[in-house]
Amino acid sequence: MPKLLCKITDSFAIEGRGVAAVLEDEWRIPKEERIHNRERIRIVRPDGSSVATFIASIEFLLRGDRTESTAFMLPKDIVVEDAPKDSMIFLEREDEHPIIWSGEKTNRAEQ
């Protein structure tokens, strides 16, 4: 069952790497629950449409004001419009157990 993780506060494309989705600081899962690279996620946009994809990597951003943010790098077939600001990220999990991306293409066109 999907679990709500957090909201996207910003997203931007990095040439040659893909889209970085910057995440809000307060997550909605217990601190002891780990998040994994290649874990399947669903991004639900503010308009209610969604895209199924996975976390390519987890990054930590240090901003000019010395604050840190967490970002998920998304696969290269995801574009900024797939993960706009104020979208919600859900982990595709079975209870506390992550579902890891198996190599199939992501699904950008899902509603």
Side-chain angles (χ1 to χ4, degrees):
M1 167 161 273
K3 294 177 96 169
L4 177 60
L5 175 63
C6 62
K7 185 186 285 190
I8 296 175
T9 61
D10 194 10
S11 62
F12 54 91
I14 300 175
E15 190 174 335
R17 291 205 57 208
V19 170
V22 182
L23 311 176
E24 68 183 1
D25 292 334
E26 292 186 29
W27 291 9
R28 293 165 174 88
I29 63 171
K31 289 183 180 185
E32 58 274 0
E33 251 186 85
R34 296 191 184 270
I35 298 169
H36 305 273
N37 288 341
R38 299 183 54 206
E39 184 165 349
R40 294 179 60 87
I41 60 173
R42 178 167 301 278
I43 300 169
V44 179
R45 299 181 204 102
D47 69 3
S49 63
S50 70
V51 60
T53 188
F54 66 95
I55 302 166
S57 67
I58 301 169
E59 307 284 333
F60 299 95
L61 308 173
L62 182 59
R63 297 180 181 268
D65 61 0
R66 298 206 180 264
T67 58
E68 282 188 7
S69 295
T70 304
F72 288 164
M73 287 303 300
L74 302 174
K76 291 181 182 178
D77 66 333
I78 299 294
V79 295
V80 171
E81 294 78 18
D82 291 328
K85 180 180 178 180
D86 294 330
S87 295
M88 302 302 286
I89 294 184
F90 289 82
L91 300 171
E92 297 284 345
R93 293 200 163 175
E94 302 210 7
D95 296 319
E96 294 178 14
H97 305 288
I99 300 173
I100 302 298
W101 176 72
S102 62
E104 79 273 7
K105 285 191 146 293
T106 58
N107 185 355
R108 291 185 58 223
E110 223 168 286
Q111 291 293 326

